[in-house]
Amino acid sequence: MKSLLLATLVLVSAHASAQDQIASLITFESTAARPNSDTNHSNITSIINAEMEYTLPENISFYGGFSFVLGEQFESSVTVGSRFYSATPAFQIFPGVPMWSFIGGGISFLDDMVYYPEAGFRIATSNTSRMDIFVKILNSSNKTYDKHVMIGAGLTF
C-alpha cells in the first residue's frame, strides 16, 4: 500500500511547477570548455540529469536526483542543489512569456565530490512547464571533473 501511495504522489506532483510545489526537472549539459588533460585523466563531454525540484514561495528551490556522465567513461551519481530565482521576471521575450534569472549551486557525488556554481534563466513556456538555460562550472579535486564549463538546457514540468 505504501508503494502505491508513493507512486501516486510522484505521478501527481510530477506535473506541478508552481511555487511551493514539486516538479520534474530534466536537463542536458554539454562541455563548452575543459582543461587540457594528460593521458592519465579522462574528460567528460556531457551530463544528463533526472531530478525532482521543490520550489518555495520565497523563490528558492531545492532539487535532487540522478546524473549520468557521458564521456570517455560512463558514470552515474546522485546530485543535490539549490537555486535562488529573481522575484519578478527579468524580462519578457514575447507577451505572456516571462523569463526569470537564477543563481545556484550543487554537489554531485561521482568518484570524487564535484561542486558547482550555476547561473541561468528560466522561461515560462506554458502554464505548466518551464525551460531552463544555464551555465555551470565544475570544481573537484579530481582532474577528470575539475575546471569544466558546462552549458545546459532543461525542462521542468
Side-chain angles (χ1 to χ4, degrees):
M1 185 66 178
K2 287 183 183 180
S3 300
L4 181 61
L5 289 174
L6 179 61
T8 304
L9 176 64
V10 169
L11 182 63
V12 170
S13 66
H15 298 290
S17 63
Q19 62 185 11
D20 203 26
Q21 295 290 324
I22 296 175
S24 300
L25 176 60
I26 307 295
T27 62
F28 175 79
E29 307 165 25
S30 183
T31 306
R34 65 177 147 229
N36 292 333
S37 74
D38 55 20
T39 58
N40 296 332
H41 299 284
S42 60
N43 278 315
I44 59 175
T45 56
S46 58
I47 301 173
I48 298 171
N49 299 299
E51 301 160 335
M52 295 297 286
E53 179 182 49
Y54 179 70
T55 305
L56 299 169
E58 294 83 11
N59 301 322
I60 297 172
S61 73
F62 299 97
Y63 60 88
F66 298 100
S67 296
F68 304 96
V69 178
L70 307 172
E72 295 173 22
Q73 297 177 348
F74 175 80
E75 190 174 353
S76 61
S77 74
V78 173
T79 300
V80 294
S82 180
R83 291 177 173 172
F84 176 72
Y85 294 94
S86 58
T88 58
F91 54 90
Q92 290 193 355
I93 300 173
F94 301 107
V97 183
M99 179 183 285
W100 295 269
S101 59
F102 67 84
I103 59 171
I107 299 172
S108 292
F109 299 97
L110 296 160
D111 280 345
D112 288 314
M113 190 170 65
V114 176
Y115 58 95
Y116 56 86
E118 65 179 333
F121 293 98
R122 175 163 276 188
I123 303 165
T125 54
S126 73
N127 289 337
T128 59
S129 63
R130 309 284 187 256
M131 186 172 78
D132 296 341
I133 299 171
F134 57 89
V135 174
K136 289 182 179 179
I137 301 173
L138 304 183
N139 299 286
S140 177
S141 60
N142 188 330
K143 290 184 181 180
T144 299
Y145 315 111
D146 196 32
K147 299 179 184 173
H148 282 65
V149 177
M150 309 297 286
I151 296 178
L155 183 63
T156 304
F157 51 94

